[in-house]
Amino acid sequence: MKARTFTHRTVGAAALAISLAGFLPASTARAADATAAAGDGKWKVALGPGVVVTPESPGSRHTRVFPFPSLDISYDDRFFSQGPDVLGVNALRGTNYHVGAALSFDFQSRNEKDDPHLHGLGNVHGGPKLKLFADYTVWMFTGSVALYQDIAAHGQGKTVPVDLLASVPVGSCLFSIGPGFTWADALYTRTFFGVSSQQSAASGLPVYRTGSGIRDVHLNGYVSYDFSKHWVGSVAVTVGRLQHYAAASPITERRSELNTLASVNYRF
């Protein structure tokens, strides 16, 4: 099997990669050279349907399931559009590393109409974020770090996922697994987990002050399978546990989080 390189991605908890930032809270492995089997040109294109399973809102005991287009488009390993990363650029790149930026859409949100427990807390809207990222691969291990900055003034502040993945190709499969954590600033934790005096009066929940710190620790898993030269299926899963301000918040109903993205892509 051809050697594969990996870049940082929230599909977003997740990804999802989160990571989607709003699906997968951390990076998942991406086989950047997977499309090479279908051609050696600078353009690499893979498209297909996907489905996302993610918490209804941070700390919610409810989950939501919705379709999501699975995209993996890149040009010369420089420009790319992948999952929630609408448009990105690898400003620096090499055989084992990438450093760059992307405009990423974050679906992480909260609607007080979805759950009586949220009444009086107000809504939090998803939106675009600026993503800065870096990853480095040594042998089978890939370390990655990213910073997501809310640029839509929705009170989502900054989050920084840090991850380490071990990846092993076995026949037509690629398996990746590894730990990670997410740091969040005070604005993010206040928006999703804090309770102001006004919110307390409206919701009946106690006042709860927050600050910056570790939002969660998590374990990422990823598997892809090449059905043929053109077809590939993949599943990315992140299992997380809320920490510190997020875990102790009266808004939080469930400390454990499960984010999943499953997709089938056609490589052109």
Side-chain angles (χ1 to χ4, degrees), residues 116-158:
H117 179 67
L118 302 176
H119 288 177
L121 296 177
N123 298 331
V124 181
H125 302 289
K129 290 187 175 181
L130 173 64
K131 172 184 176 183
L132 305 177
F133 64 87
D135 64 72
Y136 191 83
T137 299
V138 178
W139 188 42
M140 63 183 293
F141 299 102
T142 299
S144 64
V145 60
L147 182 148
Y148 291 88
Q149 171 65 59
D150 176 17
I151 56 175
H154 289 164
Q156 296 206 25
K158 298 180 182 69

Side-chain angles (χ1 to χ4, degrees), residues 3-216:
R4 304 186 181 193
T5 59
F6 307 95
T7 63
H8 181 85
R9 164 178 142 176
T10 66
V11 231
L16 313 233
I18 219 151
S19 153
L20 301 172
F23 298 143
L24 294 185
S27 63
T28 57
R30 178 176 72 89
D33 289 342
T35 53
D40 294 326
K42 291 186 176 182
W43 281 102
K44 301 184 188 301
V45 180
L47 308 172
V51 62
V52 170
V53 180
T54 189
E56 203 166 65
S57 61
S60 175
R61 59 187 174 90
H62 302 291
T63 59
R64 54 176 172 158
V65 180
F66 56 93
F68 185 79
S70 177
L71 305 178
D72 190 352
I73 303 172
S74 67
Y75 177 76
D76 196 27
D77 195 30
R78 174 72 72 179
F79 303 100
F80 62 89
S81 179
Q82 182 186 69
D85 294 340
V86 180
L87 180 61
V89 58
N90 291 313
L92 301 174
R93 71 199 195 282
T95 304
N96 299 321
Y97 67 90
H98 300 81
V99 178
L103 176 65
S104 187
F105 193 88
D106 190 350
F107 292 89
Q108 194 167 207
S109 62
R110 185 178 71 204
N111 191 330
E112 62 178 4
K113 294 181 179 179
D114 291 338
D115 189 339
H117 179 67
L118 302 176
H119 288 177
L121 296 177
N123 298 331
V124 181
H125 302 289
K129 290 187 175 181
L130 173 64
K131 172 184 176 183
L132 305 177
F133 64 87
D135 64 72
Y136 191 83
T137 299
V138 178
W139 188 42
M140 63 183 293
F141 299 102
T142 299
S144 64
V145 60
L147 182 148
Y148 291 88
Q149 171 65 59
D150 176 17
I151 56 175
H154 289 164
Q156 296 206 25
K158 298 180 182 69
T159 54
V160 179
V162 179
D163 295 280
L164 177 66
L165 285 170
S167 302
V168 179
V170 180
S172 297
C173 292
L174 174 69
F175 297 94
S176 299
I177 191 169
F181 67 89
T182 306
W183 176 91
D185 71 359
L187 178 56
Y188 174 93
T189 59
R190 181 167 68 248
T191 296
F192 280 111
F193 300 105
V195 181
S196 67
S197 56
Q198 293 84 357
Q199 290 173 318
S200 177
S203 66
L205 296 176
V207 173
Y208 184 69
R209 309 297 183 189
T210 66
S212 61
I214 301 300
R215 178 200 183 275
D216 66 79

